[in-house]
Amino acid sequence: MDVSHQQSQATQGDVNQQYLTFIMGPEEYGVEILSVQEIRGWQKTTAIPNAPEYVKGVINLRGNVVPIIDLRQRFGLSELTYGPTTVVIVVKVKIEKNSKVIGIVVDAVSDVIIVDDKNLRPTPDFGLDTDVRFIKGLTSLSDKMVIILDVHKLLGNEVLPSAQQLSSIIEQLEIPAA
């Protein structure tokens, strides 16, 4: 991945953040690179009973059970058949004093960009019916806008099975170790 693509030139006192950008439909999104654990190709998941539709299931990632969320469905976008560019971005989400690992399915990974905090624009106010708490801000990249997401706010409050519940489910389903 090319890290040389820079949003702005850094000067003393500037605070720059690196973001992994990805595509979903016609839009480009970004997440802090420090929250990204790895990027994987799409693989079949083990479905979890009674989970929300956007929770595709779980995978075994080096002995850890990782829930997989389709971000397209989570955002209410139209479903898309998974293809060769579909990837799972595995992120570590902080929840209070703990953290959990979650995979998010996206259409394709785009680039790594560097954004100066002063170039990060606040999210517009869309009114009471639109939840934008998980949008950290917006930035311009060439001729398009990139929506910067706060994965901790987006995924930190997901109602997902606890590690103990997942272990119990895994034992029942007999998921083979990877």
Side-chain angles (χ1 to χ4, degrees):
M1 220 172 285
D2 181 16
V3 183
S4 63
H5 184 68
Q6 293 199 0
Q7 182 72 6
S8 65
Q9 296 296 322
T11 58
Q12 279 191 333
D14 290 343
V15 178
N16 294 310
Q17 295 282 343
Q18 288 187 338
Y19 297 94
L20 174 67
T21 61
F22 56 90
I23 308 292
M24 282 195 318
E27 304 302 330
E28 192 159 352
Y29 298 84
V31 293
E32 284 184 32
I33 196 81
L34 294 176
S35 65
V36 175
Q37 195 168 301
E38 67 182 271
I39 301 167
R40 306 173 54 87
W42 168 252
Q43 70 182 67
K44 188 173 177 354
T45 61
T46 300
I48 300 297
N50 300 319
E53 191 173 324
Y54 58 84
V55 177
K56 299 287 81 169
V58 295
I59 61 170
N60 184 336
L61 184 61
R62 291 181 293 282
N64 296 312
V65 178
V66 176
I68 305 297
I69 294 176
D70 187 316
L71 209 51
R72 228 177 206 290
Q73 286 182 292
R74 174 69 170 79
F75 285 173
L77 301 174
S78 61
E79 281 191 62
L80 186 69
T81 304
Y82 297 158
T85 62
T86 304
V87 295
V88 175
I89 302 172
V90 179
V91 294
K92 186 174 268 189
V93 180
K94 294 176 188 168
I95 307 159
E96 296 174 11
K97 295 179 182 177
N98 299 316
S99 65
K100 64 181 169 183
V101 177
I102 298 175
I104 53 174
V105 181
V106 300
D107 296 352
V109 169
S110 182
D111 203 354
V112 173
I113 62 171
I114 298 173
V115 178
D116 183 330
D117 275 355
K118 66 183 175 190
N119 291 331
L120 196 59
R121 302 290 174 235
T123 307
D125 183 6
F126 293 103
L128 297 175
D129 292 341
T130 306
D131 183 6
V132 293
R133 291 176 296 173
F134 57 85
I135 298 177
K136 186 174 182 178
L138 302 157
T139 190
S140 296
L141 180 64
S142 300
D143 60 344
K144 61 186 168 197
M145 295 292 288
V146 177
I147 302 165
I148 304 297
L149 303 174
D150 183 331
V151 292
H152 309 290
K153 290 181 181 172
L154 175 64
L155 302 172
N157 295 324
E158 287 296 333
V159 180
L160 296 172
S162 69
Q164 186 176 17
Q165 291 170 318
L166 284 174
S167 294
S168 174
I169 292 168
I170 298 308
E171 287 173 12
Q172 293 172 10
L173 297 174
E174 298 180 34
I175 296 176

